[in-house]
Amino acid sequence: MSVGGSDQFRASFFEECEELLEAMHDGFGLMIDGNDDDETIHVVFRAVHSIKGGAGAFGLDGLVAFAHHFETALDQVRAGKISTSDDVLSLFQHCGDHLSDLVVSARDDKDADPAQTKALGAQLDDVIGTPTEAESALSDAAVSFEPLALDFMDLAPAEMVPDTVAKKSGFLLDFTAEPELFTCGNEPALLFKALDRFGQGRISVNVDEVPGLARLDPMMSYLQWSIDLETDVSEDIIRDVFDFVSDCAIITISTRDASGLSPIGEDGPTVENPAPVEASAVLPPLENEPTDVAPEVLPEPAEATPEEKTTAKPATAPVSKAAPPPQTIRVDFERVDKLINLVGELVIKEAMLSQAVSKHDLTSGDEVLQEIEGLKQLAGEIQEGVMAIRAQPVKPLFQRMARTIRDASATTGKRVRLIMKGEAAEVDKTVLERLVDPLNHMVRNAVDHGLESKEDRLAAGKPAEGTVTLSAAHRSGRVVIEISDDGGGINREKVREIGEERGLVTPGAALTASEIDALLFMPGFSMKDEVSELSGRGVGLDVVRSEISALGGRMSISSEMGKGTVFSISLPLTLAVLEGMVVDVAGQTMVIPITAIQETLQPSSAQIHTIGSGSRVLSVRDSLVPVADLGAIFGFRDTPDDLDDHTLLVIETETERRCALIVDSLQDQRQVVIKSLETNYNRVDGIAAATILGDGRIALIVDPEGIAGGIAPPQSSLMTPPRLDALEGASNVAK
Amino acid sequence: MSLSVLAIDDSRTMRNLLSAALGRVGYEVDLAEDGNEGLERFANSDPDVVITDINMPNLDGFGFIEAARKLTRDRLVPILVLTTESAPELRARARSAGATGWIVKPFDDEKLVWAIERVANTEGKA
């Protein structure tokens, strides 16, 4: 296909596919909930149909074939020939999933799963009921996607073909138009002119049938044309010229011998290479300005008011119930990224300006200060606005999870219903992309471990079908995503048992329910004795948690025996800014993410115990946490002996490790623009990223997980005495 | 004056492809996303040729053609139907609504121009 070559169109096609697939899945969701109407099935049908049409343009035959098959079944539903039972809808959803796969494999130039295509195709045939019909539809598709048998080398206009061939064979055509030919907008002259492409023609018109004016019916056609065409193309190509009018004209084509003998009657005027004539030249004018007396050629709708004519909305046009979607434009992601970086610079510049001005001892209320304050607000608003550009609803992410759940349901044989809430909540695109794997794992977990088997559910007096709920909501500048199931809840006895077996917890230790739940996140913990095909894969919740943590998120679990489990993930809305505590340490400025800070203490009032080799531990909330000097960790200085002039920050990481960090003073709490250290320099242990301060200096952003990992053992094993060697290793972190 | 074409299709991909293919051969292109919008454009921009898809939200291709044919004009504007099926009944339905001809998807520049040449006077136009 000549149009298929453009990468830009191709990319845009795959973008459109994503939207169409989303609309399709939405439609199935509505149909399953039973609150669908005719328009829903139309939307689904059109989505699949449009994917097929686009795929055809790019020569993606596998995608075309399956989409066509699927569309055939949907068309039957549209026509009311198939009712949408649960089984049929379930099959459609699987087909929709497979269509998504085919789109992805087409996009990435990979091979799709032919066995799946075949299996689903067979099931579709069962639903359609008459495989023959489906087959014929498929062969139809094959036919309609064959390029037209035209050799376009032959399509050069006649005058470009050197007229050296003295004697050509050709055809004699007789052409009689029926009235419909004109009422559907065809024009014989144009068709005859099209013959020019293929050779030299002589045309004559027979006017014998034209009656006198008194009997002339303007709606009738009384003319017959005869064409003598010299050409060397095949009859099929000539027939193709008249393809549009084959049903409203009588056309006979006979072979003309090379002698050029023309049996055309001599009674008609002959025109060489006719210029197109308007039909009105041989017919009475089709239409004048409509007046009350002129015969109307085109039937007007009865009683049409002038208004109706201008808007021309047929009364039968279905009114879509949904509000029109807001106007959108498509913007390259890189452009937005650039904007985000520039806005970051702007915010930093504004801070620098404030700082430079503050050296001039201006009185408060000074005009410059006021204007700078205004600038600061404006910069902040621009930043929010730009962030909003990258924000996208979580809905597509949830829809992917719906698919995971369907797959998991099929694998485990458990019947699962998915409920989505708050799917319109928006999160930064990059955050969304990085949530796919963790969420996938968690919804699989919910089906695999969370929900009980059908028998157990029935025995517990629950409906056989389990429910998994995905919800998203904005809370105080963060987004909270919850994955909950109505399964059996966490069996804490069992969890504890496994924890003790794996040496994650001291036997007989007094653990609270939440401490037991936290064991699920420990590396090496697996709830199933046998690694199941679903959740296993050597990945545990610990990996999920560190992924979430890398996004600046936190996870928590709540569970009730017999009622179910809720996994909750709280995430920042963006990865571009971070709420941090700016601290001074050994003359350096550093930033500690607010999410990690539990409390700040003055050492004078804190209970600090020195143990062994001079390491300190802090007694806080009935447990001991190691104390480490942030300056010493990064090699800025040796740990100070006297802590009185310092401040302690108690941090807790996602993996429940806690420690107290010594810093010199707290500057303030503010949002900082994140700059990647890895991109601009390279990775440093214990440092997550960097930011630029108002005075232009770079401040490093501390990675709590990295720091605590070096000095604090996991919380759950704090039932045993702290490992002193771990504390002494603290100063090695930065090396 | 180049030939002006109104192309109506709910698929962004198709609109892109049509617009590019028609633009390449020097036609002037106006686009609409469904039958209703198509009627609006049709009434305002007076195109030489219309190309319309069949399956569209709000007002489908058949509905568009029927409504367009009821609009008063000094001439019958040729309307070509974009179709993935070569099914005769689909053609018959398009014809009874008043379609002039059809373009089978997938199309290329040649096919598109060939179809347009047989229904519109491209003489002296690009």
Side-chain angles (χ1 to χ4, degrees), chain A residues 1 12-13 16 19 46 49 53 78 144-145 182 184 186 190 193 197 240 243-244 247 300 309 312 318, chain B residues 11-14 16 39 55 57-58 71-72 76 84 91 95 99-100 102 106-107 114 117-119 123:
Chain A
M1 304 284 333
S12 147
F13 164 65
E16 187 179 21
E19 293 162 28
R46 276 198 308 266
H49 183 75
R78 209 167 57 139
S144 60
F145 283 95
F182 299 100
C184 68
N186 269 293
L190 290 167
K193 188 171 173 300
R197 279 192 180 208
D240 182 64
D243 177 40
F244 296 165
D247 60 337
E300 285 284 340
K309 281 191 214 171
Chain B
S11 157
R12 193 168 60 241
T13 302
M14 273 302 148
N16 283 341
L39 277 176
N55 292 294
N58 305 323
L71 286 175
T72 307
L76 274 165
T84 47
R91 285 191 181 194
R95 171 52 44 89
T100 312
W102 29 83
F107 58 83
W114 178 228
E117 267 183 11
R118 286 179 289 154
V119 297
E123 192 82 355

Side-chain angles (χ1 to χ4, degrees), chain A residues 35 89 115 124 146 228 273 287 289 346 409 452 456 475 616 678 696 703 732:
Chain A
N35 52 5
L89 283 175
L124 282 171
E146 265 175 33
D228 176 2
N273 282 350
E287 189 154 336
E289 285 300 294
L346 177 69
S409 154
E452 320 88 325
D456 291 354
R475 283 186 212 145
R616 299 181 174 106
E678 277 173 68
D703 169 21
N732 296 329

Side-chain angles (χ1 to χ4, degrees), chain A residues 401-514:
Chain A
M401 296 310 125
R403 152 121 206 223
T404 305
I405 285 180
R406 283 196 291 275
D407 290 348
S409 154
T411 316
T412 56
K414 297 175 183 174
R415 282 178 50 202
V416 188
R417 179 159 166 259
L418 171 68
I419 297 174
M420 296 191 210
K421 290 179 184 162
E423 60 259 54
E426 294 193 338
V427 184
D428 189 285
K429 183 177 155 82
T430 39
V431 176
L432 280 180
E433 282 165 359
R434 289 177 58 184
L435 273 176
V436 173
D437 287 345
L439 272 193
N440 253 332
H441 189 89
M442 292 171 75
V443 297
R444 267 198 226 106
N445 247 335
V447 177
D448 199 20
H449 303 303
L451 297 176
E452 320 88 325
S453 69
K454 184 175 153 187
E455 295 73 24
D456 291 354
R457 288 184 68 87
L458 290 171
K462 293 181 176 181
E465 186 178 60
T467 303
V468 173
T469 307
L470 278 173
S471 76
H474 283 284
R475 283 186 212 145
S476 56
R478 289 170 78 81
V479 67
V480 177
I481 294 178
E482 288 186 344
I483 302 100
S484 53
D485 63 66
D486 68 343
I490 294 174
N491 182 341
R492 297 200 172 96
E493 282 302 303
K494 176 119 185 170
V495 171
R496 189 196 170 98
E497 209 175 288
I498 294 172
E500 288 179 7
E501 258 173 47
R502 309 264 150 105
L504 301 172
V505 58
T506 315
L511 296 183
T512 63
S514 65

Side-chain angles (χ1 to χ4, degrees), chain A residues 38-85:
Chain A
D38 282 355
E39 184 52 22
T40 310
I41 182 69
H42 282 294
V43 166
V44 170
F45 173 87
R46 276 198 308 266
V48 177
H49 183 75
S50 290
I51 289 173
K52 178 178 101 172
F58 297 103
L60 307 167
D61 298 343
L63 184 54
V64 168
F66 185 75
H68 182 82
H69 209 152
F70 190 11
E71 179 195 302
T72 308
L74 291 168
D75 197 25
Q76 300 264 312
V77 175
R78 209 167 57 139
K81 291 178 188 164
I82 302 176
S83 61
T84 48
S85 64

Side-chain angles (χ1 to χ4, degrees), chain A residues 422-647:
Chain A
E423 60 259 54
E426 294 193 338
V427 184
D428 189 285
K429 183 177 155 82
T430 39
V431 176
L432 280 180
E433 282 165 359
R434 289 177 58 184
L435 273 176
V436 173
D437 287 345
L439 272 193
N440 253 332
H441 189 89
M442 292 171 75
V443 297
R444 267 198 226 106
N445 247 335
V447 177
D448 199 20
H449 303 303
L451 297 176
E452 320 88 325
S453 69
K454 184 175 153 187
E455 295 73 24
D456 291 354
R457 288 184 68 87
L458 290 171
K462 293 181 176 181
E465 186 178 60
T467 303
V468 173
T469 307
L470 278 173
S471 76
H474 283 284
R475 283 186 212 145
S476 56
R478 289 170 78 81
V479 67
V480 177
I481 294 178
E482 288 186 344
I483 302 100
S484 53
D485 63 66
D486 68 343
I490 294 174
N491 182 341
R492 297 200 172 96
E493 282 302 303
K494 176 119 185 170
V495 171
R496 189 196 170 98
E497 209 175 288
I498 294 172
E500 288 179 7
E501 258 173 47
R502 309 264 150 105
L504 301 172
V505 58
T506 315
L511 296 183
T512 63
S514 65
E515 282 170 337
I516 294 179
D517 292 348
L519 288 173
L520 294 174
F521 290 117
M522 303 288 288
F525 184 96
S526 176
M527 186 69 206
K528 285 243 163 147
D529 302 334
E530 293 287 314
V531 172
S532 79
E533 185 195 339
L534 272 183
S535 313
R537 303 188 190 177
V539 179
L541 278 174
D542 56 314
V543 176
V544 171
R545 177 177 235 172
S546 58
E547 266 299 300
I548 298 295
S549 166
L551 288 170
R554 299 178 70 90
M555 278 180 77
S556 60
I557 313 177
S558 65
S559 172
E560 199 179 332
M561 212 48 188
K563 293 274 174 66
T565 308
V566 181
F567 281 86
S568 176
I569 305 173
S570 153
L571 289 156
L573 294 176
T574 169
L575 299 180
V577 290
L578 167 113
E579 188 74 22
M581 180 69 81
V582 184
V583 301
D584 277 324
V585 56
Q588 298 282 335
T589 306
M590 299 192 86
V591 180
I592 300 168
I594 282 289
T595 48
I597 299 176
Q598 273 201 319
E599 55 189 308
T600 58
L601 300 163
Q602 290 308 319
S604 52
S605 61
Q607 297 180 300
I608 297 177
H609 314 282
T610 307
I611 52 173
S613 56
S615 302
R616 299 181 174 106
V617 290
L618 171 71
S619 169
V620 60
R621 299 192 209 174
D622 302 334
S623 63
L624 296 176
V625 299
V627 177
D629 177 41
L630 200 57
I633 288 172
F634 292 109
F636 300 147
R637 64 178 176 203
D638 291 332
T639 307
D641 291 334
D642 183 9
L643 298 185
D644 281 356
D645 291 342
H646 299 276
T647 303

Side-chain angles (χ1 to χ4, degrees), chain A residues 71-149:
Chain A
E71 179 195 302
T72 308
L74 291 168
D75 197 25
Q76 300 264 312
V77 175
R78 209 167 57 139
K81 291 178 188 164
I82 302 176
S83 61
T84 48
S85 64
D86 287 352
D87 288 349
V88 168
L89 283 175
S90 163
L91 169 65
F92 283 174
Q93 281 195 314
H94 283 300
C95 289
D97 291 340
H98 185 56
L99 194 64
S100 307
D101 288 347
L102 289 172
V103 166
V104 169
S105 50
R107 186 186 62 202
D108 303 338
D109 273 336
K110 291 204 177 85
D111 286 335
D113 178 1
Q116 179 77 342
T117 304
K118 203 169 165 183
L120 287 169
Q123 291 183 61
L124 282 171
D125 284 345
D126 288 347
V127 168
I128 296 164
T130 45
T132 48
E133 213 176 306
E135 275 166 27
S136 70
L138 271 179
S139 62
D140 243 16
V143 168
S144 60
F145 283 95
E146 265 175 33
L148 214 57

Side-chain angles (χ1 to χ4, degrees), chain B residues 1-4 25-27 47-48 75 120-126:
Chain B
M1 263 307 284
S2 58
L3 188 94
S4 65
V25 291
Y27 297 159
D48 295 321
R75 62 196 168 84
N121 184 5
T122 53
E123 192 82 355
K125 312 214 177 194

